[in-house]
Amino acid sequence: MSDFEKQWNTEMAMSIMANKTVDSETWAEAVEWLMLYGPPHIQEILNQASHVATSEHFPELKPSGYNPDGTPLYDVQALAKALNISAEDILEKLHKKEEEQETRHLFAEEDSLKIH
């Protein structure tokens, strides 16, 4: 179990999400924790909300594939362009998250599933 996973539990994360005065960084950490470790029904709701937000705010950004769990995967170059940051910054942040959370965020193209 990673330190990140130990930092939260479902009740804590849900109360942070409901708090109207919590800072955005803490709120985002609670959402991220729920997306990774929360109950499946909460993960599904958050994944749907993420899809809607991505589609609405970044309509040009389309998944390049899906991981084995069905989570959309995005090309790092396309993501960098959409977010107006460097691909190197994205890779650095994702490598850091993989280490801290003991989860996988980066997939090689041959490891992604394609829908034809």
Side-chain angles (χ1 to χ4, degrees):
M1 183 180 288
S2 71
D3 287 340
F4 182 72
E5 186 175 359
K6 292 177 199 174
Q7 281 181 288
W8 299 88
N9 64 41
T10 301
E11 183 179 339
M12 288 171 52
M14 293 298 288
S15 69
I16 290 294
M17 286 185 61
N19 187 319
K20 294 180 182 180
T21 60
V22 71
D23 66 279
S24 60
E25 188 175 319
T26 303
W27 189 88
E29 284 182 18
V31 171
E32 189 171 16
W33 187 92
L34 285 165
M35 289 180 86
L36 290 170
Y37 310 111
H41 66 284
I42 299 294
Q43 289 178 341
E44 179 63 29
I45 291 167
L46 292 173
N47 283 324
Q48 288 175 3
S50 176
H51 174 73
V52 168
T54 301
S55 298
E56 183 176 320
H57 295 285
F58 303 99
E60 73 285 357
L61 192 60
K62 304 293 183 210
S64 59
Y66 296 84
N67 76 8
D69 295 334
T71 301
L73 300 173
Y74 297 91
D75 176 77
V76 172
Q77 296 297 332
L79 191 56
K81 183 178 178 184
L83 297 175
N84 200 29
I85 60 176
S86 74
E88 292 77 19
D89 284 347
I90 290 174
L91 289 170
E92 182 180 326
K93 290 174 192 251
L94 290 174
H95 281 297
K96 184 177 179 184
K97 285 187 179 294
E98 284 186 334
E99 187 176 304
E100 290 173 351
Q101 299 169 353
E102 298 177 6
T103 58
R104 186 172 180 196
H105 293 287
L106 295 167
F107 291 81
E109 189 171 338
E110 60 269 10
D111 294 335
S112 69
L113 306 172
K114 308 288 184 202
I115 296 177
H116 301 281

